[in-house]
Amino acid sequence: MKFRLALSCFVLSFHSLLASAGPLEAQLAAYATAAKAANPAFTGFSAARGEKLHVTNFALGKPDTPACTSCHGNDPRAAGKTLTGKVIEPVALSVSPGRYADPAKVEKWFKRNCNEVLGRECTPLEKGDWLTFVSSR
Amino acid sequence: MKFPPRPLALGLLALGFSALIFSRAQAGGGHYYPPVADPLVKEECGSCHLAFPASMLPASSWKRMMGELDNHFGDNASVDPEVARKITAYLVANAADTGGQRYGAKLQRGVDPASAPQRITALPKWVREHREVPDWEWRHKDVRSKANCTACHADAELGYYED
């Protein structure tokens, strides 16, 4: 009974996510499904965990890029810069409202950038947390 | 009869400006390389670094590079096959030994196109043009990489490489 309730709550919140229906919301919902499948204890994404991912010095990928901040900078509302000098628009959604509207683009860069920093792809949990973090800024 | 003076002046100005660009381009003086005009190429090849002008490398170079994007100078720059096909078509059509010859031929001096060089910054002519740049300048925190053309050539995005 309790379980059924929790489940229906989950499905409900899921539906409201889908109902608000931007591509970012749909992508977050898909990551949530995958995160839940990987770990049934998953209850939702966390901007705080996303921020930690963003600023942690992993140094597990390429030596030049130990952290997401190596290119995106410490302040998500400020522009970043690649090692070859190309300016990157801020990652905070409030400053760059055009961002995260193309799921294929988001996936492409997660794949590239997580490899550069973590030496592996990011998990759906990490992706959802990170997107939640930048959406909250 | 009354002239509308402002539009005329503006028109002349615009004409003068495009004539200037045109003559500089025509001169092919080794410092104008038309910037990438294709939005897809600009997006896919211009987010990590300047979208390098197609006329800076021969067609063979671009073909080879586009076939090895999963290991692109240590990065994974791969794109969908259909996107790759379109990018390749643009780069090959405007390369230093095809459509972009007028602009790019000079930079290819001493280069055998069959060797499909992958770095503009390793072309003999590029190296010669930059031999006077001191070591500390390359290592400066605002430069860091030879491929960071815009650090020194402020108008590189517009295709100009004098200083």
Side-chain angles (χ1 to χ4, degrees), chain B residues 120-140:
Chain B
I120 298 158
T121 57
L123 301 175
K125 169 85 172 155
W126 191 97
V127 173
R128 224 172 314 128
E129 291 284 355
H130 293 84
R131 68 180 169 237
E132 276 163 28
V133 177
D135 225 35
W136 66 264
E137 220 169 286
W138 293 122
R139 284 199 308 261
H140 191 279

Side-chain angles (χ1 to χ4, degrees), chain B residues 11-119:
Chain B
L12 280 175
L13 201 73
L15 197 78
F17 187 63
S18 57
L20 182 75
I21 298 244
F22 188 64
S23 66
R24 282 220 243 177
Q26 286 290 299
H31 48 239
Y32 179 73
Y33 297 82
V36 166
D38 184 311
L40 181 70
V41 182
K42 239 171 148 167
E43 158 92 17
E44 297 295 345
C45 306
S47 37
C48 295
H49 46 61
L50 169 77
F52 300 113
S55 59
M56 284 193 173
L57 287 173
S60 58
S61 300
W62 296 123
K63 279 186 205 150
R64 183 175 144 203
M65 190 177 296
M66 292 305 295
E68 303 170 347
L69 281 185
D70 57 336
N71 185 7
H72 178 75
F73 304 91
D75 274 23
N76 186 345
S78 40
V79 292
D80 293 343
E82 181 54 20
V83 172
R85 197 189 55 74
K86 286 184 187 150
I87 295 173
T88 310
Y90 175 86
L91 293 172
V92 165
N94 295 283
D97 53 351
T98 57
Q101 199 160 22
R102 188 148 52 104
Y103 312 102
K106 252 187 167 170
L107 200 51
Q108 306 307 317
R109 251 182 238 152
V111 174
D112 174 9
S115 68
Q118 296 295 284
R119 279 197 185 269

Side-chain angles (χ1 to χ4, degrees), chain A residues 38-53:
Chain A
N39 178 6
F42 170 82
T43 51
F45 294 123
S46 145
R49 278 198 309 257
E51 177 162 24
K52 184 143 177 269
L53 173 70

Side-chain angles (χ1 to χ4, degrees), chain A:
Chain A
M1 175 64 196
K2 228 171 149 190
F3 173 74
R4 285 263 299 270
L5 193 72
L7 191 73
S8 63
C9 274
F10 179 72
V11 170
L12 213 81
S13 61
F14 203 80
H15 260 269
S16 61
L17 267 177
L18 279 176
S20 52
L24 174 58
E25 287 74 17
Q27 193 162 18
L28 275 170
Y31 288 145
T33 309
K36 184 88 186 155
N39 178 6
F42 170 82
T43 51
F45 294 123
S46 145
R49 278 198 309 257
E51 177 162 24
K52 184 143 177 269
L53 173 70
H54 192 66
V55 301
T56 300
N57 240 48
F58 291 100
L60 296 168
K62 297 203 346 190
D64 289 346
T65 51
C68 303
T69 50
S70 309
C71 295
H72 290 295
N74 280 315
D75 177 2
R77 292 201 190 132
K81 206 178 199 187
T82 66
L83 300 183
T84 24
K86 187 80 195 187
V87 171
I88 309 174
E89 294 302 309
V91 286
L93 194 58
S94 62
V95 193
S96 308
R99 278 210 182 279
Y100 319 117
D102 175 357
K105 179 181 174 188
V106 173
E107 267 294 302
K108 180 177 74 188
W109 286 102
F110 268 136
K111 194 167 165 204
R112 284 177 184 165
N113 296 343
C114 291
N115 264 314
E116 301 251 324
V117 172
L118 296 147
R120 59 165 173 83
E121 294 200 21
C122 283
T123 63
L125 179 67
E126 287 168 328
K127 295 178 194 174
D129 285 343
W130 192 85
L131 286 173
T132 305
F133 160 60
V134 292
S135 308
S136 73
R137 292 308 173 98

